[in-house]
Amino acid sequence: MRPYAEPPGRAAALGPVLAVLRRTGFERIAEVPAVPADGRGRVRYPVRTEVARAEGAGDRPPPLEDWYLRSFGTRFDLLLRHWPRRGTTRCYSLGWGLSGSDQVPDLLLVQALDDRDTLRALARELTRSVPGRARWDWDIGDFHGRPCLRAAAVGAPPAGDGGPHA
């Protein structure tokens, strides 16, 4: 994953939140839809599932592996352990994910390291910027011994879009 620029027009419903993230020094990183849960990538998401490998061995069924799926919640890590040493302590990822049992195109995941007071103030500022119809959650926990803010948001679909809840 590498930081990269915001594509124009993505997740208009979350625009005010994205503006706060840009103003407060967050870097956008690529959305990775699924990662092995064995820790190889050190990225993790709240939802885990078993995935069958494509290759089988003769008559045996293919082996199953645990994978994390990019999903709404605050039990994730986007930051890789060595990034803070290199100066990356605030990042966000915007893209496809799961919100409950629904697939959504605009799941926002946010992670930041700082002191607890700064993280609480940042969480309050982000909360104020979340549009009323968006789903939002945040938590301050730990990332390898450092205070860490993790937040997730999903923009609400426009009224009457014909989606499953219209």
Side-chain angles (χ1 to χ4, degrees), residues 86-149:
R86 295 183 179 170
T88 301
T89 59
R90 293 182 175 198
C91 66
Y92 71 97
S93 175
L94 174 66
W96 176 91
L98 297 174
S99 178
S101 61
D102 296 328
Q103 293 184 34
V104 294
D106 62 349
L107 173 65
L108 174 65
L109 299 176
V110 176
Q111 188 170 10
L113 304 178
D114 214 314
D115 63 80
R116 289 189 183 280
D117 290 338
T118 300
L119 294 175
R120 276 192 216 72
L122 181 58
R124 284 191 300 273
E125 184 175 4
L126 287 167
T127 298
R128 284 192 302 268
S129 69
V130 174
R133 294 185 62 216
R135 184 172 175 210
W136 170 252
D137 192 18
W138 65 273
D139 182 51
I140 295 177
D142 178 80
F143 180 81
H144 302 288
R146 296 180 66 179
C148 179
L149 169 68

Tab-separated table of all heavy atoms in Angstrom, residues 86-149:
chain	number	residue	atom	x	y	z
A	86	ARG	N	8.824	5.887	10.070
A	86	ARG	CA	9.139	6.617	8.834
A	86	ARG	C	8.293	7.879	8.675
A	86	ARG	O	8.345	8.521	7.638
A	86	ARG	CB	8.935	5.702	7.633
A	86	ARG	CG	9.899	4.551	7.629
A	86	ARG	CD	9.741	3.711	6.403
A	86	ARG	NE	10.705	2.628	6.421
A	86	ARG	CZ	10.692	1.625	5.578
A	86	ARG	NH1	9.766	1.559	4.648
A	86	ARG	NH2	11.591	0.678	5.660
A	87	GLY	N	7.478	8.184	9.703
A	87	GLY	CA	6.735	9.435	9.684
A	87	GLY	C	5.262	9.346	9.334
A	87	GLY	O	4.554	10.344	9.408
A	88	THR	N	4.771	8.182	8.935
A	88	THR	CA	3.349	8.043	8.610
A	88	THR	C	2.605	7.608	9.868
A	88	THR	O	2.728	6.464	10.306
A	88	THR	CB	3.123	7.022	7.480
A	88	THR	OG1	3.840	7.454	6.328
A	88	THR	CG2	1.647	6.903	7.133
A	89	THR	N	1.845	8.541	10.459
A	89	THR	CA	1.089	8.245	11.674
A	89	THR	C	-0.394	8.525	11.502
A	89	THR	O	-1.169	8.284	12.429
A	89	THR	CB	1.609	9.070	12.861
A	89	THR	OG1	1.493	10.461	12.546
A	89	THR	CG2	3.046	8.711	13.188
A	90	ARG	N	-0.796	9.036	10.342
A	90	ARG	CA	-2.209	9.316	10.073
A	90	ARG	C	-2.516	8.894	8.648
A	90	ARG	O	-1.917	9.408	7.698
A	90	ARG	CB	-2.518	10.808	10.222
A	90	ARG	CG	-2.401	11.300	11.635
A	90	ARG	CD	-2.764	12.753	11.739
A	90	ARG	NE	-2.762	13.152	13.141
A	90	ARG	CZ	-3.346	14.228	13.606
A	90	ARG	NH1	-3.986	15.038	12.780
A	90	ARG	NH2	-3.300	14.511	14.887
A	91	CYS	N	-3.450	7.964	8.520
A	91	CYS	CA	-3.819	7.531	7.180
A	91	CYS	C	-5.302	7.184	7.136
A	91	CYS	O	-5.945	6.985	8.166
A	91	CYS	CB	-2.979	6.339	6.730
A	91	CYS	SG	-3.252	4.821	7.650
A	92	TYR	N	-5.818	7.159	5.918
A	92	TYR	CA	-7.191	6.718	5.713
A	92	TYR	C	-7.262	5.980	4.394
A	92	TYR	O	-6.404	6.132	3.520
A	92	TYR	CB	-8.188	7.873	5.760
A	92	TYR	CG	-8.150	8.820	4.573
A	92	TYR	CD1	-9.045	8.677	3.515
A	92	TYR	CD2	-7.236	9.853	4.518
A	92	TYR	CE1	-9.025	9.546	2.446
A	92	TYR	CE2	-7.208	10.722	3.459
A	92	TYR	CZ	-8.103	10.569	2.419
A	92	TYR	OH	-8.069	11.435	1.347
A	93	SER	N	-8.289	5.175	4.283
A	93	SER	CA	-8.519	4.380	3.094
A	93	SER	C	-9.994	4.493	2.739
A	93	SER	O	-10.861	4.363	3.606
A	93	SER	CB	-8.137	2.925	3.394
A	93	SER	OG	-8.438	2.086	2.313
A	94	LEU	N	-10.275	4.748	1.484
A	94	LEU	CA	-11.644	4.916	1.012
A	94	LEU	C	-11.857	3.998	-0.175
A	94	LEU	O	-11.095	4.031	-1.139
A	94	LEU	CB	-11.877	6.371	0.589
A	94	LEU	CG	-13.217	6.691	-0.055
A	94	LEU	CD1	-14.358	6.499	0.941
A	94	LEU	CD2	-13.205	8.121	-0.584
A	95	GLY	N	-12.885	3.168	-0.100
A	95	GLY	CA	-13.165	2.279	-1.220
A	95	GLY	C	-14.152	1.196	-0.836
A	95	GLY	O	-14.833	1.279	0.186
A	96	TRP	N	-14.207	0.156	-1.634
A	96	TRP	CA	-15.147	-0.945	-1.465
A	96	TRP	C	-14.986	-1.571	-0.088
A	96	TRP	O	-13.901	-1.635	0.473
A	96	TRP	CB	-14.886	-2.004	-2.532
A	96	TRP	CG	-15.754	-3.208	-2.358
A	96	TRP	CD1	-16.969	-3.402	-2.929
A	96	TRP	CD2	-15.501	-4.356	-1.529
A	96	TRP	NE1	-17.486	-4.620	-2.502
A	96	TRP	CE2	-16.611	-5.221	-1.641
A	96	TRP	CE3	-14.467	-4.722	-0.694
A	96	TRP	CZ2	-16.688	-6.428	-0.971
A	96	TRP	CZ3	-14.551	-5.932	-0.014
A	96	TRP	CH2	-15.650	-6.770	-0.173
A	97	GLY	N	-16.109	-2.062	0.441
A	97	GLY	CA	-16.064	-2.792	1.695
A	97	GLY	C	-17.425	-3.354	2.047
A	97	GLY	O	-18.385	-3.252	1.275
A	98	LEU	N	-17.498	-3.947	3.212
A	98	LEU	CA	-18.747	-4.491	3.733
A	98	LEU	C	-19.237	-3.608	4.864
A	98	LEU	O	-18.458	-3.167	5.712
A	98	LEU	CB	-18.535	-5.898	4.280
A	98	LEU	CG	-18.106	-6.969	3.288
A	98	LEU	CD1	-17.805	-8.268	4.028
A	98	LEU	CD2	-19.168	-7.188	2.234
A	99	SER	N	-20.529	-3.372	4.878
A	99	SER	CA	-21.186	-2.685	5.990
A	99	SER	C	-22.325	-3.599	6.396
A	99	SER	O	-23.346	-3.680	5.704
A	99	SER	CB	-21.703	-1.312	5.557
A	99	SER	OG	-22.366	-0.680	6.633
A	100	GLY	N	-22.131	-4.340	7.488
A	100	GLY	CA	-23.082	-5.397	7.819
A	100	GLY	C	-22.996	-6.451	6.733
A	100	GLY	O	-21.918	-6.908	6.378
A	101	SER	N	-24.124	-6.800	6.138
A	101	SER	CA	-24.115	-7.791	5.063
A	101	SER	C	-24.146	-7.147	3.681
A	101	SER	O	-24.200	-7.846	2.674
A	101	SER	CB	-25.311	-8.735	5.215
A	101	SER	OG	-26.517	-7.996	5.129
A	102	ASP	N	-24.101	-5.808	3.631
A	102	ASP	CA	-24.148	-5.093	2.350
A	102	ASP	C	-22.752	-4.752	1.847
A	102	ASP	O	-21.880	-4.375	2.630
A	102	ASP	CB	-24.933	-3.784	2.490
A	102	ASP	CG	-26.392	-3.997	2.847
A	102	ASP	OD1	-26.965	-5.030	2.421
A	102	ASP	OD2	-26.954	-3.137	3.542
A	103	GLN	N	-22.558	-4.849	0.530
A	103	GLN	CA	-21.344	-4.344	-0.091
A	103	GLN	C	-21.555	-2.861	-0.362
A	103	GLN	O	-22.609	-2.469	-0.855
A	103	GLN	CB	-21.069	-5.066	-1.400
A	103	GLN	CG	-20.721	-6.517	-1.221
A	103	GLN	CD	-20.371	-7.173	-2.544
A	103	GLN	OE1	-19.794	-6.547	-3.427
A	103	GLN	NE2	-20.717	-8.434	-2.675
A	104	VAL	N	-20.568	-2.041	-0.031
A	104	VAL	CA	-20.669	-0.599	-0.239
A	104	VAL	C	-19.442	-0.111	-1.004
A	104	VAL	O	-18.341	-0.636	-0.819
A	104	VAL	CB	-20.808	0.162	1.101
A	104	VAL	CG1	-22.133	-0.175	1.779
A	104	VAL	CG2	-19.659	-0.129	2.034
A	105	PRO	N	-19.615	0.895	-1.868
A	105	PRO	CA	-18.472	1.398	-2.639
A	105	PRO	C	-17.654	2.445	-1.891
A	105	PRO	O	-16.571	2.809	-2.324
A	105	PRO	CB	-19.137	2.025	-3.863
A	105	PRO	CG	-20.458	2.499	-3.351
A	105	PRO	CD	-20.880	1.466	-2.323
A	106	ASP	N	-18.155	2.941	-0.763
A	106	ASP	CA	-17.529	4.102	-0.122
A	106	ASP	C	-17.275	3.912	1.364
A	106	ASP	O	-17.582	4.770	2.168
A	106	ASP	CB	-18.377	5.339	-0.354
A	106	ASP	CG	-19.768	5.225	0.267
A	106	ASP	OD1	-20.145	4.117	0.691
A	106	ASP	OD2	-20.470	6.238	0.334
A	107	LEU	N	-16.664	2.807	1.746
A	107	LEU	CA	-16.293	2.587	3.137
A	107	LEU	C	-15.021	3.373	3.432
A	107	LEU	O	-14.015	3.249	2.730
A	107	LEU	CB	-16.054	1.099	3.393
A	107	LEU	CG	-15.500	0.728	4.774
A	107	LEU	CD1	-16.507	1.068	5.873
A	107	LEU	CD2	-15.132	-0.742	4.812
A	108	LEU	N	-15.076	4.191	4.469
A	108	LEU	CA	-13.928	4.993	4.893
A	108	LEU	C	-13.374	4.410	6.184
A	108	LEU	O	-14.120	4.229	7.156
A	108	LEU	CB	-14.363	6.442	5.134
A	108	LEU	CG	-13.314	7.382	5.723
A	108	LEU	CD1	-12.156	7.587	4.744
A	108	LEU	CD2	-13.960	8.705	6.109
A	109	LEU	N	-12.086	4.095	6.203
A	109	LEU	CA	-11.397	3.637	7.404
A	109	LEU	C	-10.297	4.638	7.721
A	109	LEU	O	-9.561	5.070	6.823
A	109	LEU	CB	-10.800	2.243	7.192
A	109	LEU	CG	-11.795	1.129	6.866
A	109	LEU	CD1	-11.058	-0.174	6.574
A	109	LEU	CD2	-12.809	0.946	7.973
A	110	VAL	N	-10.192	5.028	8.989
A	110	VAL	CA	-9.273	6.076	9.430
A	110	VAL	C	-8.450	5.542	10.589
A	110	VAL	O	-9.003	4.931	11.511
A	110	VAL	CB	-10.074	7.323	9.899
A	110	VAL	CG1	-9.145	8.383	10.455
A	110	VAL	CG2	-10.944	7.871	8.783
A	111	GLN	N	-7.137	5.786	10.571
A	111	GLN	CA	-6.284	5.379	11.679
A	111	GLN	C	-5.258	6.479	11.942
A	111	GLN	O	-4.671	7.026	10.999
A	111	GLN	CB	-5.572	4.062	11.377
A	111	GLN	CG	-4.832	3.495	12.576
A	111	GLN	CD	-4.340	2.075	12.346
A	111	GLN	OE1	-4.378	1.550	11.247
A	111	GLN	NE2	-3.867	1.442	13.407
A	112	ALA	N	-5.066	6.816	13.228
A	112	ALA	CA	-4.120	7.869	13.603
A	112	ALA	C	-3.459	7.540	14.934
A	112	ALA	O	-4.105	6.991	15.823
A	112	ALA	CB	-4.836	9.211	13.719
A	113	LEU	N	-2.187	7.899	15.047
A	113	LEU	CA	-1.439	7.757	16.290
A	113	LEU	C	-1.108	9.148	16.817
A	113	LEU	O	-0.711	10.019	16.050
A	113	LEU	CB	-0.129	6.995	16.052
A	113	LEU	CG	-0.236	5.615	15.424
A	113	LEU	CD1	1.150	5.027	15.227
A	113	LEU	CD2	-1.101	4.700	16.253
A	114	ASP	N	-1.275	9.334	18.107
A	114	ASP	CA	-0.954	10.612	18.750
A	114	ASP	C	-1.207	10.417	20.237
A	114	ASP	O	-1.480	9.301	20.680
A	114	ASP	CB	-1.818	11.743	18.190
A	114	ASP	CG	-1.060	13.069	18.136
A	114	ASP	OD1	-0.391	13.408	19.142
A	114	ASP	OD2	-1.140	13.768	17.111
A	115	ASP	N	-1.185	11.501	21.032
A	115	ASP	CA	-1.555	11.361	22.434
A	115	ASP	C	-3.082	11.286	22.530
A	115	ASP	O	-3.804	11.711	21.619
A	115	ASP	CB	-0.990	12.511	23.275
A	115	ASP	CG	-1.556	13.850	22.869
A	115	ASP	OD1	-2.692	14.164	23.285
A	115	ASP	OD2	-0.878	14.569	22.107
A	116	ARG	N	-3.588	10.740	23.620
A	116	ARG	CA	-5.037	10.493	23.762
A	116	ARG	C	-5.872	11.768	23.667
A	116	ARG	O	-6.937	11.748	23.061
A	116	ARG	CB	-5.329	9.755	25.064
A	116	ARG	CG	-4.867	8.316	25.022
A	116	ARG	CD	-5.353	7.514	26.218
A	116	ARG	NE	-4.822	6.173	26.156
A	116	ARG	CZ	-5.318	5.192	25.402
A	116	ARG	NH1	-6.358	5.410	24.655
A	116	ARG	NH2	-4.773	3.989	25.409
A	117	ASP	N	-5.410	12.873	24.241
A	117	ASP	CA	-6.185	14.116	24.174
A	117	ASP	C	-6.315	14.611	22.741
A	117	ASP	O	-7.388	15.027	22.308
A	117	ASP	CB	-5.552	15.202	25.053
A	117	ASP	CG	-5.686	14.904	26.546
A	117	ASP	OD1	-6.598	14.115	26.916
A	117	ASP	OD2	-4.884	15.436	27.328
A	118	THR	N	-5.221	14.560	21.991
A	118	THR	CA	-5.259	14.974	20.584
A	118	THR	C	-6.183	14.067	19.789
A	118	THR	O	-6.962	14.536	18.953
A	118	THR	CB	-3.832	14.967	19.989
A	118	THR	OG1	-3.023	15.873	20.731
A	118	THR	CG2	-3.844	15.355	18.523
A	119	LEU	N	-6.120	12.760	20.053
A	119	LEU	CA	-6.977	11.818	19.327
A	119	LEU	C	-8.456	12.041	19.666
A	119	LEU	O	-9.313	11.979	18.777
A	119	LEU	CB	-6.570	10.377	19.625
A	119	LEU	CG	-5.180	9.969	19.116
A	119	LEU	CD1	-4.848	8.557	19.571
A	119	LEU	CD2	-5.087	10.105	17.603
A	120	ARG	N	-8.775	12.318	20.927
A	120	ARG	CA	-10.176	12.607	21.302
A	120	ARG	C	-10.671	13.865	20.591
A	120	ARG	O	-11.783	13.905	20.081
A	120	ARG	CB	-10.316	12.769	22.809
A	120	ARG	CG	-10.466	11.463	23.567
A	120	ARG	CD	-10.899	11.752	25.011
A	120	ARG	NE	-10.336	10.863	25.970
A	120	ARG	CZ	-9.084	10.811	26.402
A	120	ARG	NH1	-8.190	11.636	25.955
A	120	ARG	NH2	-8.691	9.939	27.293
A	121	ALA	N	-9.840	14.901	20.562
A	121	ALA	CA	-10.219	16.141	19.877
A	121	ALA	C	-10.418	15.894	18.389
A	121	ALA	O	-11.372	16.402	17.782
A	121	ALA	CB	-9.159	17.219	20.103
A	122	LEU	N	-9.553	15.099	17.791
A	122	LEU	CA	-9.685	14.759	16.376
A	122	LEU	C	-10.968	13.974	16.134
A	122	LEU	O	-11.699	14.241	15.170
A	122	LEU	CB	-8.460	13.961	15.925
A	122	LEU	CG	-8.403	13.536	14.474
A	122	LEU	CD1	-8.491	14.731	13.532
A	122	LEU	CD2	-7.119	12.758	14.226
A	123	ALA	N	-11.269	13.024	16.999
A	123	ALA	CA	-12.504	12.232	16.858
A	123	ALA	C	-13.730	13.134	16.951
A	123	ALA	O	-14.686	12.967	16.187
A	123	ALA	CB	-12.560	11.137	17.915
A	124	ARG	N	-13.719	14.096	17.881
A	124	ARG	CA	-14.853	15.031	17.991
A	124	ARG	C	-14.996	15.860	16.716
A	124	ARG	O	-16.102	16.062	16.211
A	124	ARG	CB	-14.684	15.937	19.197
A	124	ARG	CG	-14.992	15.260	20.520
A	124	ARG	CD	-15.083	16.244	21.674
A	124	ARG	NE	-13.862	16.985	21.892
A	124	ARG	CZ	-12.847	16.566	22.665
A	124	ARG	NH1	-12.940	15.415	23.303
A	124	ARG	NH2	-11.769	17.303	22.807
A	125	GLU	N	-13.868	16.341	16.172
A	125	GLU	CA	-13.921	17.140	14.951
A	125	GLU	C	-14.445	16.311	13.774
A	125	GLU	O	-15.278	16.770	12.993
A	125	GLU	CB	-12.538	17.696	14.628
A	125	GLU	CG	-12.543	18.607	13.426
A	125	GLU	CD	-11.201	19.271	13.166
A	125	GLU	OE1	-10.218	18.982	13.870
A	125	GLU	OE2	-11.157	20.082	12.230
A	126	LEU	N	-13.981	15.093	13.656
A	126	LEU	CA	-14.478	14.217	12.585
A	126	LEU	C	-15.966	13.925	12.775
A	126	LEU	O	-16.732	13.951	11.816
A	126	LEU	CB	-13.676	12.917	12.552
A	126	LEU	CG	-12.258	13.029	12.010
A	126	LEU	CD1	-11.465	11.766	12.308
A	126	LEU	CD2	-12.269	13.329	10.527
A	127	THR	N	-16.376	13.656	14.015
A	127	THR	CA	-17.783	13.359	14.288
A	127	THR	C	-18.678	14.515	13.863
A	127	THR	O	-19.738	14.310	13.271
A	127	THR	CB	-17.980	13.028	15.783
A	127	THR	OG1	-17.209	11.867	16.089
A	127	THR	CG2	-19.437	12.765	16.112
A	128	ARG	N	-18.252	15.748	14.155
A	128	ARG	CA	-19.043	16.924	13.754
A	128	ARG	C	-19.161	17.040	12.237
A	128	ARG	O	-20.111	17.619	11.731
A	128	ARG	CB	-18.425	18.201	14.316
A	128	ARG	CG	-18.681	18.394	15.798
A	128	ARG	CD	-18.304	19.790	16.257
A	128	ARG	NE	-16.915	20.130	16.010
A	128	ARG	CZ	-15.912	19.943	16.870
A	128	ARG	NH1	-16.147	19.401	18.050
A	128	ARG	NH2	-14.689	20.293	16.564
A	129	SER	N	-18.190	16.511	11.495
A	129	SER	CA	-18.206	16.644	10.037
A	129	SER	C	-18.973	15.523	9.334
A	129	SER	O	-19.202	15.590	8.130
A	129	SER	CB	-16.772	16.698	9.496
A	129	SER	OG	-16.132	15.445	9.645
A	130	VAL	N	-19.362	14.477	10.071
A	130	VAL	CA	-20.058	13.336	9.460
A	130	VAL	C	-21.487	13.744	9.104
A	130	VAL	O	-22.222	14.227	9.965
A	130	VAL	CB	-20.075	12.118	10.421
A	130	VAL	CG1	-20.915	10.995	9.853
A	130	VAL	CG2	-18.667	11.642	10.690
A	131	PRO	N	-21.879	13.573	7.836
A	131	PRO	CA	-23.263	13.903	7.454
A	131	PRO	C	-24.261	13.075	8.259
A	131	PRO	O	-23.978	11.931	8.642
A	131	PRO	CB	-23.319	13.530	5.970
A	131	PRO	CG	-21.896	13.479	5.523
A	131	PRO	CD	-21.088	13.099	6.727
A	132	GLY	N	-25.417	13.641	8.508
A	132	GLY	CA	-26.423	13.025	9.365
A	132	GLY	C	-26.853	11.626	8.972
A	132	GLY	O	-27.154	10.808	9.827
A	133	ARG	N	-26.872	11.300	7.698
A	133	ARG	CA	-27.340	9.980	7.262
A	133	ARG	C	-26.225	8.943	7.155
A	133	ARG	O	-26.474	7.791	6.843
A	133	ARG	CB	-28.051	10.098	5.913
A	133	ARG	CG	-29.344	10.909	6.019
A	133	ARG	CD	-30.110	10.926	4.726
A	133	ARG	NE	-30.497	9.572	4.362
A	133	ARG	CZ	-30.537	9.135	3.108
A	133	ARG	NH1	-30.237	9.922	2.117
A	133	ARG	NH2	-30.901	7.895	2.852
A	134	ALA	N	-24.998	9.360	7.410
A	134	ALA	CA	-23.878	8.427	7.317
A	134	ALA	C	-23.802	7.566	8.574
A	134	ALA	O	-24.190	7.977	9.657
A	134	ALA	CB	-22.568	9.188	7.129
A	135	ARG	N	-23.287	6.369	8.421
A	135	ARG	CA	-23.015	5.486	9.552
A	135	ARG	C	-21.586	5.770	9.996
A	135	ARG	O	-20.669	5.852	9.168
A	135	ARG	CB	-23.164	4.037	9.095
A	135	ARG	CG	-22.990	3.034	10.200
A	135	ARG	CD	-23.337	1.635	9.706
A	135	ARG	NE	-23.039	0.685	10.763
A	135	ARG	CZ	-22.664	-0.559	10.543
A	135	ARG	NH1	-22.560	-1.013	9.316
A	135	ARG	NH2	-22.409	-1.364	11.539
A	136	TRP	N	-21.348	5.904	11.316
A	136	TRP	CA	-20.055	6.341	11.837
A	136	TRP	C	-19.759	5.652	13.152
A	136	TRP	O	-20.643	5.490	13.984
A	136	TRP	CB	-20.115	7.859	12.034
A	136	TRP	CG	-18.980	8.485	12.775
A	136	TRP	CD1	-19.038	8.980	14.048
A	136	TRP	CD2	-17.655	8.718	12.324
A	136	TRP	NE1	-17.812	9.508	14.404
A	136	TRP	CE2	-16.942	9.358	13.350
A	136	TRP	CE3	-16.985	8.432	11.131
A	136	TRP	CZ2	-15.612	9.726	13.242
A	136	TRP	CZ3	-15.652	8.799	11.021
A	136	TRP	CH2	-14.991	9.437	12.057
A	137	ASP	N	-18.506	5.254	13.368
A	137	ASP	CA	-18.085	4.700	14.643
A	137	ASP	C	-16.602	5.006	14.815
A	137	ASP	O	-15.863	5.105	13.824
A	137	ASP	CB	-18.321	3.191	14.683
A	137	ASP	CG	-18.184	2.598	16.076
A	137	ASP	OD1	-18.235	3.353	17.069
A	137	ASP	OD2	-18.033	1.372	16.175
A	138	TRP	N	-16.177	5.169	16.062
A	138	TRP	CA	-14.758	5.392	16.339
A	138	TRP	C	-14.409	4.836	17.712
A	138	TRP	O	-15.276	4.637	18.544
A	138	TRP	CB	-14.384	6.866	16.231
A	138	TRP	CG	-15.022	7.767	17.243
A	138	TRP	CD1	-16.244	8.377	17.129
A	138	TRP	CD2	-14.509	8.159	18.509
A	138	TRP	NE1	-16.504	9.116	18.252
A	138	TRP	CE2	-15.450	9.012	19.121
A	138	TRP	CE3	-13.323	7.872	19.196
A	138	TRP	CZ2	-15.253	9.569	20.372
A	138	TRP	CZ3	-13.126	8.437	20.453
A	138	TRP	CH2	-14.085	9.287	21.014
A	139	ASP	N	-13.100	4.613	17.906
A	139	ASP	CA	-12.603	4.093	19.171
A	139	ASP	C	-11.135	4.508	19.316
A	139	ASP	O	-10.419	4.616	18.316
A	139	ASP	CB	-12.718	2.562	19.181
A	139	ASP	CG	-12.269	1.966	20.502
A	139	ASP	OD1	-12.750	2.416	21.556
A	139	ASP	OD2	-11.417	1.061	20.468
A	140	ILE	N	-10.720	4.736	20.550
A	140	ILE	CA	-9.306	4.972	20.816
A	140	ILE	C	-8.781	3.757	21.560
A	140	ILE	O	-9.304	3.381	22.602
A	140	ILE	CB	-9.080	6.261	21.629
A	140	ILE	CG1	-9.516	7.471	20.795
A	140	ILE	CG2	-7.609	6.382	22.044
A	140	ILE	CD1	-9.408	8.794	21.488
A	141	GLY	N	-7.798	3.125	20.968
A	141	GLY	CA	-7.199	1.931	21.546
A	141	GLY	C	-5.694	2.021	21.505
A	141	GLY	O	-5.116	3.081	21.766
A	142	ASP	N	-5.052	0.931	21.131
A	142	ASP	CA	-3.610	0.806	21.187
A	142	ASP	C	-3.077	0.301	19.845
A	142	ASP	O	-3.716	-0.515	19.181
A	142	ASP	CB	-3.254	-0.192	22.303
A	142	ASP	CG	-1.777	-0.425	22.407
A	142	ASP	OD1	-1.092	0.424	23.000
A	142	ASP	OD2	-1.300	-1.458	21.888
A	143	PHE	N	-1.933	0.793	19.446
A	143	PHE	CA	-1.213	0.280	18.279
A	143	PHE	C	0.250	0.121	18.693
A	143	PHE	O	0.981	1.100	18.793
A	143	PHE	CB	-1.338	1.243	17.089
A	143	PHE	CG	-0.618	0.782	15.846
A	143	PHE	CD1	-1.198	-0.155	15.008
A	143	PHE	CD2	0.630	1.285	15.517
A	143	PHE	CE1	-0.549	-0.585	13.853
A	143	PHE	CE2	1.290	0.863	14.368
A	143	PHE	CZ	0.696	-0.067	13.531
A	144	HIS	N	0.647	-1.091	19.031
A	144	HIS	CA	2.018	-1.408	19.450
A	144	HIS	C	2.503	-0.447	20.535
A	144	HIS	O	3.587	0.134	20.447
A	144	HIS	CB	2.964	-1.407	18.252
A	144	HIS	CG	2.547	-2.388	17.198
A	144	HIS	ND1	2.681	-3.750	17.358
A	144	HIS	CD2	1.939	-2.206	15.986
A	144	HIS	CE1	2.212	-4.363	16.285
A	144	HIS	NE2	1.754	-3.451	15.450
A	145	GLY	N	1.658	-0.259	21.564
A	145	GLY	CA	2.034	0.544	22.716
A	145	GLY	C	1.771	2.037	22.590
A	145	GLY	O	2.096	2.791	23.486
A	146	ARG	N	1.170	2.463	21.484
A	146	ARG	CA	0.870	3.886	21.292
A	146	ARG	C	-0.634	4.088	21.203
A	146	ARG	O	-1.338	3.247	20.616
A	146	ARG	CB	1.523	4.394	20.008
A	146	ARG	CG	3.038	4.338	20.067
A	146	ARG	CD	3.674	4.822	18.820
A	146	ARG	NE	3.429	6.256	18.621
A	146	ARG	CZ	3.893	6.935	17.598
A	146	ARG	NH1	4.618	6.344	16.669
A	146	ARG	NH2	3.644	8.219	17.470
A	147	PRO	N	-1.162	5.207	21.739
A	147	PRO	CA	-2.593	5.488	21.590
A	147	PRO	C	-2.954	5.616	20.109
A	147	PRO	O	-2.205	6.204	19.326
A	147	PRO	CB	-2.776	6.823	22.318
A	147	PRO	CG	-1.629	6.917	23.259
A	147	PRO	CD	-0.489	6.212	22.567
A	148	CYS	N	-4.106	5.035	19.751
A	148	CYS	CA	-4.490	4.944	18.345
A	148	CYS	C	-5.985	5.180	18.170
A	148	CYS	O	-6.798	4.530	18.826
A	148	CYS	CB	-4.119	3.556	17.822
A	148	CYS	SG	-4.559	3.290	16.101
A	149	LEU	N	-6.318	6.089	17.287
A	149	LEU	CA	-7.706	6.315	16.884
A	149	LEU	C	-8.000	5.461	15.663
A	149	LEU	O	-7.222	5.458	14.699
A	149	LEU	CB	-7.926	7.790	16.537
A	149	LEU	CG	-9.254	8.136	15.848
A	149	LEU	CD1	-10.429	7.942	16.801
A	149	LEU	CD2	-9.220	9.555	15.301
